[in-house]
Amino acid sequence: MSNCYICEQKITSDNIYNEHIVLNSIGGRLTSEDIMCKICAKDLDPLDSALYKPLHPIANLLDIKRDRKKTKDFKAELIEDKREVSIAPGGKPKLTRPYIVDEIDQGGKLSIDAPNEKMMRQALKGLRRKYPELSDDKIEQFIQGATKEKEPIGKVKFDISFNDDCLRAICKMAMGFYIYHGGERKYIAHLIPYLKRENEEKINVVHHYYPSSDKIHDYLEQDEKITHCLFIKGDSQNKCLYGFIQLFGTFQFLILLSNDYQGEDLCKSYIFDVLARTEIKDNLELTISQEEIKSIQSTSLEEKATLLFSNMENASNKLLSFIYEKQFLDGFRTHSKPMINSEVSKLEGKDILTDEDYRNLVNALSQNFTEYLVENHYI
């Protein structure tokens, strides 16, 4: 057994903890029982929760699988009319509550949008104070006569922003990855008060980082894979220890762990395909000069913000395009599966398919595809 790198207590059977170096809540699988005790893990859990909050929508829209528990719905807002919707894993939206438009006093009509009959019934009963004539029988008549249909809800918006605790969680991830690969605690010990919020000073450690494309392989654009990437490098000659973390192939951070590193040279990387749930056997190499590190540390917040907005917008657009395409294809696979099973069953026992069989398959698939487009308002 080893020692917890936070409190230095011996890890025993009483305090052992399986630390997810990459959060399980965003699909991470890399774990270790040798880097952190149960007590420290619990103390630092708010950092993990803080990082999960902005990344939850991405995990949801991609419908990622996790080692424990399912991805939960998240709340978003319709851009057009600011109504609140709940987004289920895979991107299926529904209203969170009924929305009532009562224009009867102005000579108009009463309209209610509700996600289900139960909420519609509750909304109508809530109107009895204004309309006492709404008996249970009339309410049931209204519900039976209501239009039930799928319709596009329009564009939604949700927040993805990283606060100070999110950056602490990113730092914790890099520190854990360093210790996981045999790193010495003394070179990162000065950051422990930062993780525990014991140091109120602004520490210039974690930076949003989008280097030129030739520095880092783009698995999203070039391989159509959503990845979590971790990289750590210890350079004794230049006395620097730094990490690089990329989440969902989009959100990228440089972590400057030490500028007085005198340990063994170290270069380790980990690349995980989030959707396939497999590690990609590839080596990530990222060499950063002392001059570049100093430049990153000295660049003003205003200058960083301008560059960051452009880079993050480009990266996010690539991710959203991938998500849109995935949801479209996943939806069509689900929609077409019964049809395909039906058509295949008709061909059972046939050794050779005729031209007519092929035509029937193509026609059935084309019709099914058109139905899917119409039902989901793509056309």
Side-chain angles (χ1 to χ4, degrees), residues 297-314:
Q297 291 177 316
S298 62
T299 303
S300 68
L301 289 176
E302 291 76 13
E303 292 175 292
K304 284 181 181 177
T306 302
L307 184 60
L308 173 64
F309 179 81
S310 175
N311 289 334
M312 186 174 283
E313 184 179 36
N314 291 335

Side-chain angles (χ1 to χ4, degrees), residues 93-143:
K94 65 179 179 181
L95 294 173
T96 58
R97 63 179 180 83
Y99 284 85
I100 303 171
V101 178
D102 184 355
E103 298 177 339
I104 292 178
D105 293 342
Q106 291 81 38
K109 60 181 181 179
L110 173 72
S111 65
I112 303 176
D113 286 339
N116 53 52
E117 285 188 11
K118 181 180 179 181
M119 288 192 180
M120 174 69 83
R121 189 174 288 107
Q122 290 173 345
L124 286 167
K125 287 182 179 180
L127 289 169
R128 279 178 171 167
R129 183 176 298 177
K130 185 174 182 180
Y131 303 108
E133 64 273 20
L134 278 175
S135 65
D136 287 345
D137 288 342
K138 284 189 176 181
I139 286 175
E140 292 306 314
Q141 289 175 13
F142 282 134
I143 291 174

Side-chain angles (χ1 to χ4, degrees), residues 12 53 74 142 195 223 262 315 331 338 352:
T12 67
K53 186 175 180 180
F74 76 93
F142 282 134
L195 295 190
D223 303 315
Q262 301 174 44
I352 300 176

Side-chain angles (χ1 to χ4, degrees), residues 32-250:
S32 174
E33 294 181 340
D34 295 323
I35 66 175
M36 190 180 298
C37 71
K38 185 187 298 183
I39 296 172
C40 290
K42 184 177 180 181
D43 288 343
L44 296 178
D45 187 60
L47 302 185
D48 294 342
S49 299
L51 182 58
Y52 171 61
K53 186 175 180 180
L55 295 176
H56 177 199
I58 304 302
N60 173 292
L61 294 173
L62 286 168
D63 195 14
I64 62 166
K65 307 305 177 189
R66 296 157 53 167
D67 291 340
R68 55 177 185 259
K69 297 183 181 179
K70 294 182 179 180
T71 302
K72 297 179 180 179
D73 296 5
F74 76 93
K75 300 293 192 299
E77 185 180 273
L78 296 179
I79 292 177
E80 183 178 357
D81 54 21
K82 296 187 177 181
R83 290 187 295 175
E84 186 183 67
V85 293
S86 176
I87 311 294
K92 297 178 181 178
K94 65 179 179 181
L95 294 173
T96 58
R97 63 179 180 83
Y99 284 85
I100 303 171
V101 178
D102 184 355
E103 298 177 339
I104 292 178
D105 293 342
Q106 291 81 38
K109 60 181 181 179
L110 173 72
S111 65
I112 303 176
D113 286 339
N116 53 52
E117 285 188 11
K118 181 180 179 181
M119 288 192 180
M120 174 69 83
R121 189 174 288 107
Q122 290 173 345
L124 286 167
K125 287 182 179 180
L127 289 169
R128 279 178 171 167
R129 183 176 298 177
K130 185 174 182 180
Y131 303 108
E133 64 273 20
L134 278 175
S135 65
D136 287 345
D137 288 342
K138 284 189 176 181
I139 286 175
E140 292 306 314
Q141 289 175 13
F142 282 134
I143 291 174
Q144 295 305 315
T147 302
K148 301 174 185 177
E149 61 180 18
K150 289 183 179 179
E151 60 179 17
I153 62 170
K155 294 182 178 180
V156 302
K157 64 178 180 179
F158 49 87
D159 180 49
I160 298 180
S161 57
F162 298 91
N163 62 21
D164 288 343
D165 274 353
C166 292
L167 300 185
R168 288 185 174 91
I170 294 292
C171 184
K172 170 176 169 278
M173 200 181 301
M175 292 166 69
F177 191 60
Y178 169 66
I179 295 295
Y180 175 77
H181 283 291
E184 297 182 71
R185 179 185 185 272
K186 62 183 178 180
Y187 294 116
I188 59 169
H190 62 285
L191 294 173
I192 293 173
Y194 167 63
L195 295 190
K196 298 171 76 172
R197 301 195 197 94
E198 294 174 353
N199 190 339
E200 295 299 325
E201 295 179 16
K202 288 286 184 180
I203 298 182
N204 206 11
V205 175
V206 183
H207 305 263
H208 294 277
Y209 185 62
Y210 292 86
S212 58
S213 59
D214 61 339
K215 275 197 172 187
I216 301 171
H217 183 78
D218 192 334
Y219 290 96
L220 176 54
E221 182 170 306
Q222 298 175 25
D223 303 315
E224 295 187 337
K225 293 179 179 180
I226 302 293
T227 55
H228 294 326
C229 297
L230 277 69
F231 173 79
I232 197 81
K233 185 164 186 173
D235 184 348
S236 59
Q237 182 176 352
N238 291 306
K239 294 187 176 182
C240 59
L241 174 66
Y242 56 87
F244 170 78
I245 290 176
Q246 181 194 72
L247 301 175
F248 293 118
T250 301

